[in-house]
Amino acid sequence: MANQKYCLALDLKDDVDLIAEYKELHENIWPEIKKSIQDSGIQVLDIYCTGNRLFMIIEGDESFSFEKKDKADAANEKVQEWENLMWKFQQALPWGKPGQKWILMDKIFQL
């Protein structure tokens, strides 16, 4: 079975120093965060940045689901610590629900 692919978006606070710090943290993510990603069935996770806009591409195997990942993350103290730290840099998209970070994007074109 082919990997499932998901694309998500989020904005950073529009501050050059905060954006640089965010990028630096992602050059050496905590080992517990990397493990939680891999354990969830995610095989590829890439984050791209332009200005203060982030774009994430996830490829997950057949075991991956956002519901399972959210449940595991909620029970993982290190993941919660990382996510709380990330709010220093991140700002919710205006159309997101309160407290929602990454928003799943709709595919509108494929060649």
Side-chain angles (χ1 to χ4, degrees), residues 1-4 6 37-43 60-69:
M1 181 175 177
N3 284 352
Q4 307 168 77
Y6 305 94
I37 292 167
Q38 293 169 326
D39 288 351
S40 73
I42 293 174
Q43 297 177 321
D61 65 22
E62 63 279 347
S63 72
F64 174 77
S65 79
F66 286 105
E67 295 78 17
K68 287 187 344 188
K69 175 84 172 107

Side-chain angles (χ1 to χ4, degrees), residues 7 11 13 22 32 35-36 40-42 47 53 60 63 67-68 70 74 79 82 85 88 98 101 107 110-111:
C7 299
D11 283 350
K13 294 176 181 169
Y22 184 85
E32 300 90 349
K35 183 177 183 334
S36 75
S40 73
I42 293 174
I47 299 176
R53 175 74 34 101
S63 72
E67 295 78 17
K68 287 187 344 188
D70 289 346
V79 170
W82 175 266
L85 173 60
K88 172 183 176 183
K101 289 186 178 196
K107 183 191 287 188
Q110 180 174 342
L111 180 66

Side-chain angles (χ1 to χ4, degrees), residues 9-16 18-20 22-23 47-55 89-94 102:
L10 176 67
D11 283 350
L12 295 173
K13 294 176 181 169
D14 199 5
D15 177 292
V16 175
L18 285 178
I19 292 170
Y22 184 85
K23 289 178 179 179
I47 299 176
Y48 295 84
C49 182
T50 180
N52 71 321
R53 175 74 34 101
L54 299 176
F55 180 68
F89 310 97
Q90 298 167 335
Q91 61 181 4
L93 293 172
W102 292 95

